[in-house]
Amino acid sequence: MTTHEGVGINVTVNGESRDAIIDVRETLVDFIRVDLGLTGTHVGCRTGDCGACTVTVDGEVVKSCLALGVSADKAEIRTIEGFAESSEHLSIIQTAFWEEFGFQCGYCLPGMLFCTEELLKKNPDPSEAEIREAIDGNLCRCTGYHGIIRAVRRAAEETSQAQREKDELRDEEVWARPGERVDRALRGRESES
Amino acid sequence: MILDRFEYLRPSNVDEVVTAITTEDEVAIISGGTWVVQQMGQHLRRPKVVVDLSAAGLSGVSTNQDTISIGPSTTYTQLLEAGDTPPFLRKVASGITGGIQIRNAGTIGGSACFAYPPSDAPGALVTLNATMVLRSGDGQRKVAATDFFLDALTTALRPGEFLEEILVPIADTERIFSYQKFRNVTGSTPIVTAGCIASEDGLAKRVVIGGAATTPVVVDLAGDESEDEIADLTRSLISHPWSDALANANYRRHTAGTMATRAVRAVREQIEGEER
Protein backbone atom coordinates (compact mmCIF):
# COMPACT_ATOMS: atom_id res chain seq x y z
CA MET A 1 0.00 0.00 0.00
CA THR A 2 1.36 3.43 -0.85
CA THR A 3 -0.26 6.78 -0.62
CA HIS A 4 0.11 10.35 0.53
CA GLU A 5 -3.42 10.85 1.75
CA GLY A 6 -6.99 9.81 1.12
CA VAL A 7 -6.61 6.06 1.29
CA GLY A 8 -9.60 3.75 1.48
CA ILE A 9 -9.69 1.46 4.49
CA ASN A 10 -12.16 -0.97 5.97
CA VAL A 11 -12.48 -1.59 9.69
CA THR A 12 -14.96 -3.48 11.82
CA VAL A 13 -15.99 -1.20 14.66
CA ASN A 14 -18.00 -2.67 17.52
CA GLY A 15 -19.12 -5.44 15.21
CA GLU A 16 -20.10 -3.19 12.33
CA SER A 17 -18.11 -3.06 9.07
CA ARG A 18 -17.16 0.51 8.14
CA ASP A 19 -15.53 1.77 4.93
CA ALA A 20 -13.72 5.07 5.17
CA ILE A 21 -11.41 7.34 3.23
CA ILE A 22 -8.68 8.28 5.65
CA ASP A 23 -5.89 10.84 5.58
CA VAL A 24 -2.72 8.92 6.47
CA ARG A 25 -1.81 11.72 8.91
CA GLU A 26 -4.77 10.89 11.14
CA THR A 27 -3.97 9.05 14.34
CA LEU A 28 -6.30 6.19 15.20
CA VAL A 29 -7.98 8.22 17.95
CA ASP A 30 -8.75 11.05 15.51
CA PHE A 31 -10.17 8.57 13.02
CA ILE A 32 -12.40 7.05 15.71
CA ARG A 33 -13.61 10.36 17.13
CA VAL A 34 -13.82 12.56 14.04
CA ASP A 35 -14.47 10.19 11.14
CA LEU A 36 -16.51 7.56 12.98
CA GLY A 37 -18.07 10.00 15.47
CA LEU A 38 -17.40 7.71 18.43
CA THR A 39 -16.47 10.32 21.01
CA GLY A 40 -16.46 7.97 24.00
CA THR A 41 -12.81 7.38 23.16
CA HIS A 42 -11.15 10.38 24.79
CA VAL A 43 -8.03 12.41 24.09
CA GLY A 44 -6.02 13.29 27.16
CA CYS A 45 -2.33 13.64 26.39
CA ARG A 46 -1.51 12.34 22.90
CA THR A 47 1.73 10.98 24.36
CA GLY A 48 0.57 7.58 25.56
CA ASP A 49 0.61 8.49 29.24
CA CYS A 50 -3.04 8.82 30.26
CA GLY A 51 -4.88 5.89 28.66
CA ALA A 52 -8.10 7.84 27.97
CA CYS A 53 -7.94 6.89 24.26
CA THR A 54 -7.82 3.14 24.95
CA VAL A 55 -9.56 0.80 22.47
CA THR A 56 -8.93 -2.76 21.38
CA VAL A 57 -7.48 -3.51 17.95
CA ASP A 58 -7.81 -7.16 16.93
CA GLY A 59 -8.43 -7.97 20.58
CA GLU A 60 -5.32 -6.15 21.88
CA VAL A 61 -5.87 -3.31 24.34
CA VAL A 62 -3.93 -0.31 22.97
CA LYS A 63 -3.70 3.46 23.22
CA SER A 64 -5.16 4.85 20.00
CA CYS A 65 -3.27 8.16 20.11
CA LEU A 66 -0.02 6.29 19.42
CA ALA A 67 -1.15 4.51 16.26
CA LEU A 68 -1.91 5.76 12.76
CA GLY A 69 -5.48 5.18 11.69
CA VAL A 70 -4.34 3.78 8.36
CA SER A 71 -2.42 1.02 10.20
CA ALA A 72 -5.77 -0.29 11.46
CA ASP A 73 -6.95 -1.23 7.94
CA LYS A 74 -8.82 -4.57 8.03
CA ALA A 75 -8.67 -4.62 11.82
CA GLU A 76 -11.44 -5.26 14.30
CA ILE A 77 -11.78 -2.34 16.68
CA ARG A 78 -13.77 -2.18 19.89
CA THR A 79 -14.40 1.17 21.50
CA ILE A 80 -15.98 2.04 24.81
CA GLU A 81 -19.34 2.32 22.99
CA GLY A 82 -19.10 -1.40 22.28
CA PHE A 83 -17.99 -2.39 25.76
CA ALA A 84 -21.38 -3.60 26.98
CA GLU A 85 -23.08 -6.40 25.09
CA SER A 86 -26.18 -4.27 24.49
CA SER A 87 -26.85 -0.56 24.66
CA GLU A 88 -29.65 -1.25 27.17
CA HIS A 89 -27.61 -2.80 29.97
CA LEU A 90 -24.25 -2.03 31.49
CA SER A 91 -21.77 -4.91 31.67
CA ILE A 92 -20.72 -6.45 34.99
CA ILE A 93 -17.50 -4.39 34.98
CA GLN A 94 -19.33 -1.14 34.19
CA THR A 95 -21.91 -1.82 36.91
CA ALA A 96 -19.14 -2.47 39.42
CA PHE A 97 -17.51 0.88 38.55
CA TRP A 98 -20.92 2.53 38.94
CA GLU A 99 -21.66 0.91 42.31
CA GLU A 100 -18.20 1.46 43.82
CA PHE A 101 -17.74 5.06 42.63
CA GLY A 102 -14.97 3.92 40.32
CA PHE A 103 -15.29 7.13 38.32
CA GLN A 104 -16.51 10.68 38.59
CA CYS A 105 -16.05 12.52 35.30
CA GLY A 106 -15.60 9.33 33.29
CA TYR A 107 -12.71 10.60 31.20
CA CYS A 108 -10.40 7.72 32.14
CA LEU A 109 -13.05 5.02 31.76
CA PRO A 110 -12.00 3.66 28.34
CA GLY A 111 -8.58 2.71 29.73
CA MET A 112 -9.83 1.60 33.14
CA LEU A 113 -12.61 -0.61 31.76
CA PHE A 114 -10.60 -2.26 28.97
CA CYS A 115 -7.65 -2.91 31.30
CA THR A 116 -10.01 -4.39 33.90
CA GLU A 117 -11.54 -6.66 31.28
CA GLU A 118 -8.06 -7.75 30.13
CA LEU A 119 -6.97 -8.40 33.71
CA LEU A 120 -10.03 -10.48 34.61
CA LYS A 121 -9.70 -12.53 31.43
CA LYS A 122 -6.23 -13.67 32.55
CA ASN A 123 -6.67 -13.50 36.31
CA PRO A 124 -10.21 -13.95 37.68
CA ASP A 125 -9.14 -13.36 41.29
CA PRO A 126 -6.60 -10.51 41.30
CA SER A 127 -4.95 -9.11 44.43
CA GLU A 128 -4.83 -5.38 45.06
CA ALA A 129 -1.22 -5.28 43.83
CA GLU A 130 -2.20 -7.08 40.63
CA ILE A 131 -5.08 -4.66 40.09
CA ARG A 132 -2.79 -1.66 40.57
CA GLU A 133 -0.34 -3.15 38.10
CA ALA A 134 -3.07 -3.81 35.53
CA ILE A 135 -4.33 -0.22 35.54
CA ASP A 136 -0.92 1.44 35.74
CA GLY A 137 -1.13 2.72 32.17
CA ASN A 138 -4.09 4.93 33.04
CA LEU A 139 -4.40 8.23 34.86
CA CYS A 140 -7.49 9.22 36.85
CA ARG A 141 -7.61 12.71 38.30
CA CYS A 142 -10.87 12.34 40.22
CA THR A 143 -11.04 9.22 42.34
CA GLY A 144 -7.62 8.81 43.91
CA TYR A 145 -7.87 5.23 42.54
CA HIS A 146 -9.40 3.73 45.71
CA GLY A 147 -12.87 3.49 44.19
CA ILE A 148 -11.35 1.99 41.05
CA ILE A 149 -9.51 -0.72 43.02
CA ARG A 150 -12.77 -1.57 44.83
CA ALA A 151 -14.66 -1.60 41.54
CA VAL A 152 -12.21 -4.03 39.93
CA ARG A 153 -12.41 -6.32 43.00
CA ARG A 154 -16.19 -6.21 42.84
CA ALA A 155 -16.15 -6.87 39.10
CA ALA A 156 -13.89 -9.87 39.71
CA GLU A 157 -16.22 -11.30 42.34
CA GLU A 158 -19.34 -10.70 40.28
CA THR A 159 -17.76 -12.11 37.12
CA SER A 160 -16.83 -15.27 39.04
CA GLN A 161 -20.32 -15.42 40.55
CA ALA A 162 -21.91 -15.06 37.10
CA GLN A 163 -19.62 -17.78 35.79
CA ARG A 164 -20.58 -20.11 38.66
CA GLU A 165 -24.27 -19.51 37.97
CA LYS A 166 -23.70 -20.23 34.29
CA ASP A 167 -21.85 -23.45 35.18
CA GLU A 168 -24.65 -24.53 37.54
CA LEU A 169 -27.21 -23.92 34.81
CA ARG A 170 -25.15 -26.04 32.45
CA ASP A 171 -24.87 -28.76 35.11
CA GLU A 172 -28.63 -28.74 35.44
CA GLU A 173 -28.98 -29.12 31.70
CA VAL A 174 -26.60 -32.06 31.77
CA TRP A 175 -28.50 -33.48 34.71
CA ALA A 176 -31.65 -33.33 32.67
CA ARG A 177 -30.29 -35.66 30.01
CA PRO A 178 -31.34 -39.23 30.89
CA GLY A 179 -28.06 -40.97 29.91
CA GLU A 180 -26.02 -38.51 31.93
CA ARG A 181 -28.35 -38.99 34.87
CA VAL A 182 -27.58 -42.68 34.97
CA ASP A 183 -23.85 -41.97 34.70
CA ARG A 184 -24.01 -39.51 37.56
CA ALA A 185 -26.02 -41.87 39.70
CA LEU A 186 -23.53 -44.69 39.09
CA ARG A 187 -20.57 -42.45 39.81
CA GLY A 188 -22.26 -41.30 42.99
CA ARG A 189 -22.71 -44.90 44.12
CA GLU A 190 -19.07 -45.74 43.37
CA SER A 191 -17.85 -42.90 45.50
CA GLU A 192 -20.09 -43.95 48.34
CA SER A 193 -18.78 -47.54 48.42
CA MET B 1 -3.81 14.98 13.20
CA ILE B 2 -0.18 15.19 12.15
CA LEU B 3 0.48 18.44 10.25
CA ASP B 4 3.28 17.45 7.90
CA ARG B 5 2.48 15.34 4.88
CA PHE B 6 4.16 12.02 4.34
CA GLU B 7 3.92 8.92 2.25
CA TYR B 8 2.76 5.81 4.13
CA LEU B 9 4.07 2.38 3.17
CA ARG B 10 3.22 -0.92 4.75
CA PRO B 11 5.48 -3.56 3.21
CA SER B 12 4.52 -7.19 3.59
CA ASN B 13 8.00 -8.75 3.57
CA VAL B 14 11.66 -7.94 4.17
CA ASP B 15 12.50 -7.27 0.51
CA GLU B 16 9.66 -4.77 0.29
CA VAL B 17 10.95 -3.10 3.46
CA VAL B 18 14.38 -2.67 1.83
CA THR B 19 12.77 -1.13 -1.26
CA ALA B 20 10.58 1.13 0.86
CA ILE B 21 13.43 2.56 2.94
CA THR B 22 15.87 2.96 0.05
CA THR B 23 15.17 6.60 -0.75
CA GLU B 24 16.83 9.99 -0.48
CA ASP B 25 13.92 11.26 1.60
CA GLU B 26 13.86 11.12 5.38
CA VAL B 27 12.28 7.86 6.48
CA ALA B 28 10.65 7.02 9.81
CA ILE B 29 10.20 3.32 10.52
CA ILE B 30 7.35 2.39 12.83
CA SER B 31 6.16 -0.91 14.20
CA GLY B 32 3.98 -0.32 17.26
CA GLY B 33 4.31 3.42 16.64
CA THR B 34 4.38 4.23 20.34
CA TRP B 35 7.40 6.55 20.08
CA VAL B 36 7.43 7.85 16.53
CA VAL B 37 3.72 8.63 16.06
CA GLN B 38 3.60 10.89 19.12
CA GLN B 39 6.81 12.58 17.99
CA MET B 40 5.28 13.25 14.60
CA GLY B 41 2.18 14.63 16.31
CA GLN B 42 4.37 17.08 18.18
CA HIS B 43 6.34 17.96 15.01
CA LEU B 44 9.53 16.72 16.64
CA ARG B 45 9.96 14.43 13.68
CA ARG B 46 8.88 15.28 10.16
CA PRO B 47 9.64 12.33 7.87
CA LYS B 48 8.68 12.32 4.20
CA VAL B 49 8.12 8.57 4.24
CA VAL B 50 6.67 6.42 7.03
CA VAL B 51 7.35 2.69 6.71
CA ASP B 52 5.12 0.52 8.89
CA LEU B 53 6.72 -2.85 9.70
CA SER B 54 3.64 -4.29 11.40
CA ALA B 55 2.73 -6.48 8.43
CA ALA B 56 6.28 -7.45 7.39
CA GLY B 57 6.40 -10.69 9.37
CA LEU B 58 9.14 -9.50 11.71
CA SER B 59 7.70 -10.61 15.03
CA GLY B 60 8.21 -13.76 17.06
CA VAL B 61 10.79 -15.54 19.18
CA SER B 62 12.49 -18.77 18.13
CA THR B 63 15.50 -20.86 19.11
CA ASN B 64 18.08 -21.92 16.53
CA GLN B 65 20.89 -24.08 17.95
CA ASP B 66 22.91 -21.77 20.19
CA THR B 67 21.01 -18.51 19.66
CA ILE B 68 17.57 -17.15 20.35
CA SER B 69 16.20 -15.10 17.48
CA ILE B 70 13.86 -12.24 18.32
CA GLY B 71 11.95 -10.39 15.62
CA PRO B 72 12.26 -6.63 16.06
CA SER B 73 8.47 -6.18 15.81
CA THR B 74 7.84 -8.53 18.74
CA THR B 75 5.70 -6.70 21.29
CA TYR B 76 6.41 -6.91 25.00
CA THR B 77 3.22 -8.95 25.44
CA GLN B 78 4.44 -11.40 22.77
CA LEU B 79 7.78 -11.62 24.60
CA LEU B 80 5.91 -12.47 27.80
CA GLU B 81 3.83 -15.12 26.07
CA ALA B 82 6.52 -16.76 23.88
CA GLY B 83 8.06 -19.91 25.33
CA ASP B 84 11.57 -19.18 23.97
CA THR B 85 11.93 -15.69 25.47
CA PRO B 86 15.03 -15.50 27.69
CA PRO B 87 13.94 -15.29 31.36
CA PHE B 88 15.88 -12.04 31.79
CA LEU B 89 14.02 -10.42 28.91
CA ARG B 90 10.71 -11.71 30.23
CA LYS B 91 11.45 -9.95 33.52
CA VAL B 92 12.25 -6.72 31.63
CA ALA B 93 9.12 -6.95 29.47
CA SER B 94 6.85 -7.39 32.47
CA GLY B 95 7.81 -4.00 33.87
CA ILE B 96 7.65 -1.81 30.76
CA THR B 97 6.26 1.66 31.51
CA GLY B 98 2.83 2.56 30.17
CA GLY B 99 0.70 -0.38 31.22
CA ILE B 100 -0.97 -3.20 29.33
CA GLN B 101 -1.64 -0.93 26.37
CA ILE B 102 2.03 -0.15 25.77
CA ARG B 103 3.13 -3.76 26.31
CA ASN B 104 0.58 -4.76 23.64
CA ALA B 105 1.82 -2.21 21.08
CA GLY B 106 5.42 -1.30 21.86
CA THR B 107 8.12 -3.53 20.39
CA ILE B 108 11.59 -4.53 21.56
CA GLY B 109 13.18 -3.56 18.25
CA GLY B 110 11.33 -0.26 18.10
CA SER B 111 12.56 0.71 21.53
CA ALA B 112 16.11 -0.35 20.63
CA CYS B 113 16.10 1.72 17.42
CA PHE B 114 14.61 4.74 19.18
CA ALA B 115 17.48 4.47 21.69
CA TYR B 116 15.88 6.63 24.36
CA PRO B 117 18.42 6.42 27.22
CA PRO B 118 16.00 5.71 30.12
CA SER B 119 14.12 2.98 28.20
CA ASP B 120 14.58 -0.61 29.35
CA ALA B 121 15.46 -2.10 25.95
CA PRO B 122 18.95 -0.66 25.27
CA GLY B 123 20.38 -1.74 28.63
CA ALA B 124 18.57 -5.08 28.50
CA LEU B 125 19.96 -5.97 25.05
CA VAL B 126 23.50 -5.06 26.11
CA THR B 127 23.06 -7.15 29.29
CA LEU B 128 22.03 -10.11 27.10
CA ASN B 129 25.09 -9.68 24.83
CA ALA B 130 22.67 -9.38 21.93
CA THR B 131 23.70 -9.00 18.32
CA MET B 132 21.71 -6.67 16.09
CA VAL B 133 21.25 -7.87 12.52
CA LEU B 134 20.94 -4.84 10.24
CA ARG B 135 19.64 -5.14 6.71
CA SER B 136 19.88 -2.83 3.73
CA GLY B 137 19.98 -3.06 -0.05
CA ASP B 138 23.67 -4.02 0.31
CA GLY B 139 22.84 -7.06 2.42
CA GLN B 140 23.18 -7.85 6.10
CA ARG B 141 25.67 -6.76 8.72
CA LYS B 142 25.86 -7.69 12.37
CA VAL B 143 26.57 -5.20 15.13
CA ALA B 144 27.00 -6.07 18.82
CA ALA B 145 24.43 -4.33 21.01
CA THR B 146 27.30 -2.58 22.83
CA ASP B 147 28.28 -0.94 19.51
CA PHE B 148 24.70 -0.36 18.33
CA PHE B 149 23.89 2.44 20.78
CA LEU B 150 26.06 5.41 19.78
CA ASP B 151 24.44 8.26 21.67
CA ALA B 152 21.07 9.34 23.05
CA LEU B 153 18.47 8.65 20.34
CA THR B 154 21.27 7.61 17.96
CA THR B 155 22.14 4.12 16.78
CA ALA B 156 24.51 2.51 14.29
CA LEU B 157 21.66 2.27 11.76
CA ARG B 158 22.55 4.02 8.51
CA PRO B 159 20.08 5.58 6.10
CA GLY B 160 18.49 2.79 4.07
CA GLU B 161 19.08 0.24 6.81
CA PHE B 162 16.70 -1.37 9.29
CA LEU B 163 16.86 -3.79 12.22
CA GLU B 164 15.90 -7.19 10.85
CA GLU B 165 16.62 -9.49 13.78
CA ILE B 166 17.98 -9.56 17.32
CA LEU B 167 20.16 -12.55 18.24
CA VAL B 168 20.78 -13.56 21.85
CA PRO B 169 23.40 -16.22 22.71
CA ILE B 170 21.52 -19.00 24.46
CA ALA B 171 24.33 -19.71 26.95
CA ASP B 172 23.74 -16.36 28.64
CA THR B 173 20.03 -16.86 29.04
CA GLU B 174 19.92 -19.78 31.43
CA ARG B 175 22.05 -18.44 34.24
CA ILE B 176 21.09 -16.60 37.42
CA PHE B 177 20.24 -12.96 36.76
CA SER B 178 18.94 -9.83 38.38
CA TYR B 179 17.21 -6.80 36.91
CA GLN B 180 16.89 -3.80 39.18
CA LYS B 181 14.98 -0.71 38.21
CA PHE B 182 14.56 2.57 40.01
CA ARG B 183 11.65 4.83 39.09
CA ASN B 184 9.58 7.42 40.91
CA VAL B 185 6.28 5.56 40.54
CA THR B 186 5.23 2.38 38.72
CA GLY B 187 3.89 4.40 35.80
CA SER B 188 6.94 6.60 35.29
CA THR B 189 9.92 6.18 33.00
CA PRO B 190 12.89 4.42 34.63
CA ILE B 191 15.54 6.65 36.20
CA VAL B 192 18.22 3.95 36.25
CA THR B 193 18.17 0.25 35.36
CA ALA B 194 20.80 -2.33 36.26
CA GLY B 195 21.01 -5.77 34.67
CA CYS B 196 23.37 -8.54 35.75
CA ILE B 197 23.60 -12.09 34.45
CA ALA B 198 25.98 -14.42 36.30
CA SER B 199 29.15 -15.35 34.43
CA GLU B 200 29.93 -18.87 33.29
CA ASP B 201 31.93 -19.51 36.47
CA GLY B 202 28.97 -18.39 38.56
CA LEU B 203 30.00 -14.88 39.60
CA ALA B 204 28.52 -11.42 39.19
CA LYS B 205 31.13 -10.02 36.84
CA ARG B 206 29.20 -7.76 34.50
CA VAL B 207 26.56 -5.16 35.29
CA VAL B 208 24.91 -3.04 32.62
CA ILE B 209 23.51 0.32 33.62
CA GLY B 210 20.70 1.96 31.64
CA GLY B 211 19.31 5.46 32.09
CA ALA B 212 22.32 7.04 33.78
CA ALA B 213 24.27 7.78 30.61
CA THR B 214 23.34 8.49 27.00
CA THR B 215 24.08 4.85 26.16
CA PRO B 216 24.19 1.69 28.29
CA VAL B 217 27.28 1.49 30.50
CA VAL B 218 29.03 -1.85 30.98
CA VAL B 219 30.67 -2.32 34.38
CA ASP B 220 33.18 -5.17 34.27
CA LEU B 221 34.06 -6.68 37.64
CA ALA B 222 36.52 -9.26 38.96
CA GLY B 223 33.70 -10.75 41.01
CA ASP B 224 35.06 -10.19 44.52
CA GLU B 225 34.61 -6.41 44.89
CA SER B 226 32.87 -4.96 47.90
CA GLU B 227 29.58 -3.16 47.35
CA ASP B 228 31.22 0.24 47.94
CA GLU B 229 33.85 -0.55 45.32
CA ILE B 230 31.15 -1.56 42.83
CA ALA B 231 29.21 1.65 43.46
CA ASP B 232 32.30 3.85 43.09
CA LEU B 233 33.47 2.07 39.96
CA THR B 234 30.01 2.33 38.38
CA ARG B 235 29.76 6.05 39.13
CA SER B 236 33.22 6.67 37.70
CA LEU B 237 32.24 5.04 34.41
CA ILE B 238 29.31 7.41 33.69
CA SER B 239 31.25 9.67 31.35
CA HIS B 240 28.34 10.94 29.24
CA PRO B 241 25.53 11.37 31.78
CA TRP B 242 21.88 11.63 30.82
CA SER B 243 19.78 14.34 32.36
CA ASP B 244 16.11 15.21 31.96
CA ALA B 245 13.13 16.65 33.82
CA LEU B 246 12.74 13.54 35.98
CA ALA B 247 16.31 13.42 37.30
CA ASN B 248 19.52 15.34 36.67
CA ALA B 249 22.91 13.88 35.84
CA ASN B 250 24.30 13.84 39.40
CA TYR B 251 21.22 12.11 40.75
CA ARG B 252 21.35 9.49 38.00
CA ARG B 253 25.07 8.90 38.49
CA HIS B 254 24.60 8.39 42.22
CA THR B 255 21.58 6.10 41.67
CA ALA B 256 23.56 4.09 39.10
CA GLY B 257 26.06 3.10 41.79
CA THR B 258 23.27 2.08 44.13
CA MET B 259 21.42 0.05 41.51
CA ALA B 260 24.61 -1.70 40.39
CA THR B 261 25.26 -2.89 43.94
CA ARG B 262 21.65 -4.05 44.27
CA ALA B 263 21.90 -6.04 41.03
CA VAL B 264 25.16 -7.67 42.12
CA ARG B 265 23.82 -8.34 45.63
CA ALA B 266 20.71 -10.03 44.21
CA VAL B 267 22.81 -12.27 41.96
CA ARG B 268 25.25 -13.13 44.76
CA GLU B 269 22.40 -14.00 47.12
CA GLN B 270 20.86 -16.32 44.54
CA ILE B 271 24.22 -17.99 43.90
CA GLU B 272 24.78 -18.49 47.63
CA GLY B 273 21.26 -19.84 47.93
CA GLU B 274 22.01 -22.42 45.23
CA GLU B 275 25.31 -23.47 46.82
CA ARG B 276 23.72 -24.00 50.21
Side-chain angles (χ1 to χ4, degrees):
Chain A
M1 189 203 298
T2 167
T3 185
H4 282 274
E5 53 202 275
V7 52
I9 65 167
N10 173 270
V11 291
T12 304
V13 181
N14 300 328
E16 193 187 326
S17 173
R18 302 278 291 261
D19 291 311
I21 305 289
I22 187 173
D23 186 320
V24 297
R25 297 175 297 165
E26 280 181 71
T27 54
L28 181 56
V29 69
D30 292 330
F31 171 66
I32 289 169
R33 287 176 57 85
V34 180
D35 296 21
L36 302 178
L38 297 170
T39 51
T41 304
H42 300 136
V43 174
C45 63
R46 289 190 190 275
T47 54
D49 290 291
C50 78
C53 64
T54 300
V55 299
T56 72
V57 176
D58 288 333
E60 302 275 6
V61 183
V62 296
K63 293 176 178 174
S64 61
C65 72
L66 298 180
L68 294 175
V70 63
S71 301
D73 185 26
K74 299 188 185 73
E76 198 164 309
I77 298 169
R78 242 174 100 222
T79 68
I80 192 73
E81 287 87 348
F83 193 82
E85 272 178 34
S86 82
S87 55
E88 305 292 316
H89 300 286
L90 296 178
S91 72
I92 290 175
I93 294 172
Q94 287 168 313
T95 310
F97 271 72
W98 180 278
E99 296 288 341
E100 295 292 344
F101 301 96
F103 67 99
Q104 287 177 28
C105 78
Y107 212 81
C108 68
L109 273 180
M112 294 295 179
L113 296 181
F114 277 117
C115 285
T116 302
E117 184 183 66
E118 181 77 6
L119 169 70
L120 298 185
K121 236 188 279 173
K122 292 179 175 162
N123 180 356
D125 185 25
S127 66
E128 182 181 330
E130 287 166 336
I131 294 170
R132 286 184 182 274
E133 198 189 329
I135 61 168
D136 84 355
N138 305 284
L139 297 176
C140 168
R141 317 248 62 173
C142 303
T143 63
Y145 302 99
H146 293 290
I148 295 172
I149 309 288
R150 282 199 308 274
V152 178
R153 262 318 306 171
R154 183 171 181 148
E157 282 154 22
E158 294 190 355
T159 305
S160 301
Q161 179 63 27
Q163 189 59 42
R164 272 197 299 276
E165 282 168 13
K166 220 190 260 179
D167 290 347
E168 276 167 22
L169 267 179
R170 204 176 52 221
D171 281 353
E172 278 169 26
E173 280 168 27
V174 170
W175 197 240
R177 271 185 246 138
E180 295 280 345
R181 201 183 319 170
V182 173
D183 283 353
R184 284 269 185 122
L186 286 173
R187 236 180 288 149
R189 206 176 299 162
E190 275 164 23
S191 61
E192 273 166 32
S193 57
Chain B
M1 175 72 95
I2 295 159
L3 279 184
D4 302 289
R5 292 190 175 174
F6 57 85
E7 184 181 9
Y8 173 83
L9 300 162
R10 196 182 190 188
S12 54
N13 58 51
V14 168
D15 291 333
E16 284 182 28
V17 176
V18 172
T19 311
I21 63 173
T22 308
T23 162
E24 294 294 308
D25 292 325
E26 189 192 332
V27 177
I29 299 177
I30 63 171
S31 188
T34 54
W35 274 120
V36 175
V37 171
Q38 57 157 312
Q39 283 223 314
M40 288 166 65
Q42 294 168 49
H43 323 301
L44 294 170
R45 195 144 172 198
R46 306 163 81 176
K48 291 277 176 269
V49 182
V50 172
V51 179
D52 182 351
L53 297 189
S54 60
L58 289 169
S59 64
V61 185
S62 60
T63 303
N64 316 306
Q65 292 174 338
D66 54 352
T67 51
I68 295 172
S69 160
I70 301 166
S73 294
T74 309
T75 65
Y76 297 107
T77 300
Q78 287 169 336
L79 285 176
L80 288 170
E81 287 171 355
D84 288 351
T85 303
F88 177 82
L89 199 52
R90 198 184 299 272
K91 166 81 178 166
V92 172
S94 68
I96 292 295
T97 305
I100 294 171
Q101 300 102 312
I102 299 297
R103 291 198 287 277
N104 282 345
T107 66
I108 181 78
S111 183
C113 293
F114 194 73
Y116 180 55
S119 286
D120 296 78
L125 292 172
V126 173
T127 309
L128 281 165
N129 278 314
T131 299
M132 317 297 268
V133 181
L134 314 184
R135 172 80 177 259
S136 69
D138 299 332
Q140 265 186 358
R141 68 184 177 113
K142 291 181 178 176
V143 176
T146 38
D147 302 324
F148 182 74
F149 301 102
L150 300 181
D151 200 349
L153 310 169
T154 308
T155 68
L157 280 168
R158 298 168 184 155
E161 204 169 41
F162 76 102
L163 175 62
E164 186 183 14
E165 194 180 11
I166 299 167
L167 300 173
V168 176
I170 211 163
D172 294 352
T173 64
E174 288 167 357
R175 290 197 287 268
I176 284 169
F177 68 85
S178 163
Y179 187 63
Q180 303 288 324
K181 175 150 68 174
F182 180 78
R183 48 184 171 181
N184 296 338
V185 292
T186 321
S188 85
T189 318
I191 304 295
V192 169
T193 63
C196 178
I197 298 177
S199 62
E200 217 167 325
D201 48 357
L203 292 170
K205 283 186 171 172
R206 185 173 182 263
V207 184
V208 178
I209 301 293
T214 51
T215 57
V217 173
V218 180
V219 184
D220 285 314
L221 302 167
D224 56 357
E225 288 90 345
S226 72
E227 292 195 350
D228 284 345
E229 284 170 342
I230 293 166
D232 290 344
L233 175 62
T234 302
R235 289 174 188 137
S236 74
L237 291 173
I238 313 289
S239 52
H240 295 86
W242 174 251
S243 175
D244 65 19
L246 286 180
N248 67 23
N250 282 337
Y251 185 84
R252 285 174 192 271
R253 178 184 283 113
H254 182 84
T255 310
T258 311
M259 300 314 285
T261 57
R262 284 189 195 173
V264 171
R265 190 187 308 156
V267 166
R268 285 177 178 172
E269 281 172 1
Q270 289 177 71
I271 292 168
E272 283 166 18
E274 275 201 349
E275 284 169 353
R276 228 171 262 148

